[in-house]
Amino acid sequence: VLARMVSISWPRDPPASAFQSAGITGVSHRTRPVGFLIVEFNLIVFIVNCKYFYKLILGFLFAGITFLNYWMGIMPQHGETILSQMAQGILGNSFLGHLGYYIFQFSTALILAVAANTGFSAFPMLAYNMAKNKYMPHLFMEKGDRLGYSNGILTLAFGAMILLLIFNGNTERLIPLYTIGVFVPFALSQTGMILHWKKEKGANFLKPALANILGAIICYAIVLILLFFRLSDIWPFFPIILVLTLLFLAIHSHYQKVAQQLRLYEGIQK
């Protein structure tokens, strides 16, 4: 994700800035709370929450890459990412420099592999919850032999293959769709949290909702940038969302009708 994120121009280009923001999401998914136990003298168990350290490392990583790109004056080139140019400029052309460069590139590929797992770990859970609420077929609630929601994983895999075939593997055309698909839900969720704090705290909602207000402003700004500058690339998002919404509502209506047909009426004796 970081490789794709920094392979686009510096944030003075508004569409590129929006894409760079989308690049954070894949890696930040890995900053979910992870607890581990430390047992001392078999009596005390300490539960350490690592999420704040992960976020701190991610923040330094992102800020450092952005600063180095600006400091070194790196500009996008066809066929080579900005991250690759940055590594070559820092490591040099010596034997050790070339060795370090290939290690750096391999590490980047590993990061991308981890980030690519985000959808395959999150979508099956999303599909499960939607199926539980009767907005997707119940087969998405079934677990496979490895105790994972295999139907959700397979559905996402086939969907990804179809997108790659449609766009001929051109990630530059897929990134705008990914960006709008990320930040529209982000903007809506931040707006929902603002309304939650408004309902919960009344007139004193500004202080607890400050982070959500800032997040909503950033997300809506990115969405507007995409609408103004990359509408020709992101327009498929809107008919796809419309079709999926109608499909989910139709599935829900079907399950409601089936439940109505199977319901026992009050006049029927047990």
Side-chain angles (χ1 to χ4, degrees):
V1 171
L2 288 175
R4 297 305 311 164
M5 176 178 62
V6 298
S7 66
I8 309 173
S9 57
W10 177 249
R12 285 173 292 190
D13 179 11
S17 178
F19 293 167
Q20 289 179 354
S21 301
I24 303 173
T25 58
V27 177
S28 64
H29 177 79
R30 317 318 301 175
T31 64
R32 293 177 300 172
V34 178
F36 62 88
L37 303 180
I38 302 175
V39 182
E40 184 177 346
F41 304 115
N42 296 324
L43 294 175
I44 303 175
V45 178
F46 297 96
I47 302 178
V48 182
N49 196 324
C50 302
K51 64 176 181 179
Y52 299 108
F53 296 102
Y54 292 160
K55 291 178 180 179
L56 185 63
I57 293 171
L58 176 64
F60 275 113
L61 179 64
F62 179 68
I65 291 174
T66 304
F67 171 76
L68 286 173
N69 288 338
Y70 178 76
W71 183 263
M72 298 174 67
I74 297 174
M75 297 298 293
Q77 293 182 8
H78 180 71
E80 185 178 9
T81 65
I82 287 182
L83 196 60
S84 172
Q85 297 177 57
M86 183 186 71
Q88 284 187 335
I90 294 173
L91 297 173
N93 295 320
S94 65
F95 173 77
L96 291 178
H98 284 294
L99 180 62
Y101 170 77
Y102 287 113
I103 294 174
F104 183 85
Q105 290 292 83
F106 180 72
S107 302
T108 303
L110 292 179
I111 293 174
L112 289 170
V114 173
N117 187 53
T118 302
F120 288 94
S121 62
F123 176 77
M125 293 301 300
L126 171 65
Y128 167 83
N129 285 290
M130 292 188 67
K132 186 178 180 181
N133 290 282
K134 299 180 174 60
Y135 285 97
M136 289 184 72
H138 284 171
L139 61 87
F140 287 98
M141 297 174 61
E142 299 176 1
K143 290 186 177 181
D145 295 336
R146 296 180 179 272
L147 301 181
Y149 299 106
S150 304
N151 292 321
I153 296 172
L154 291 173
T155 301
L156 184 61
F158 283 120
M161 286 189 290
I162 291 172
L163 282 176
L164 286 173
L165 290 173
I166 292 175
F167 289 91
N168 199 26
N170 188 346
T171 55
E172 297 296 335
R173 295 174 60 195
L174 287 169
I175 287 177
L177 285 177
Y178 169 74
T179 309
I180 192 71
V182 165
F183 281 98
V184 166
F186 280 5
L188 294 176
S189 64
Q190 293 293 338
T191 304
M193 286 302 301
I194 295 171
L195 296 176
H196 164 75
W197 289 120
K198 176 68 174 177
K199 182 179 179 181
E200 191 82 10
K201 300 293 184 178
N204 300 319
F205 78 100
L206 285 177
K207 185 177 180 180
L210 183 60
N212 301 119
I213 293 173
L214 179 61
I217 292 172
I218 294 172
C219 291
Y220 281 117
I222 292 172
V223 172
L224 286 176
I225 289 171
L226 291 171
L227 288 175
F228 280 112
F229 291 96
R230 300 304 293 266
L231 183 60
S232 60
D233 294 321
I234 66 172
W235 69 265
F237 169 81
F238 300 102
I240 290 173
I241 288 298
L242 178 61
V243 170
L244 288 177
T245 301
L246 294 175
L247 178 62
F248 295 149
L249 291 175
I251 293 173
H252 185 71
S253 176
H254 167 73
Y255 279 122
Q256 292 291 96
K257 291 177 181 178
V258 171
Q260 184 70 25
Q261 294 171 2
L262 298 177
R263 184 172 294 125
L264 295 176
Y265 294 97
E266 296 180 357
I268 300 178
Q269 297 291 332
K270 290 186 178 180

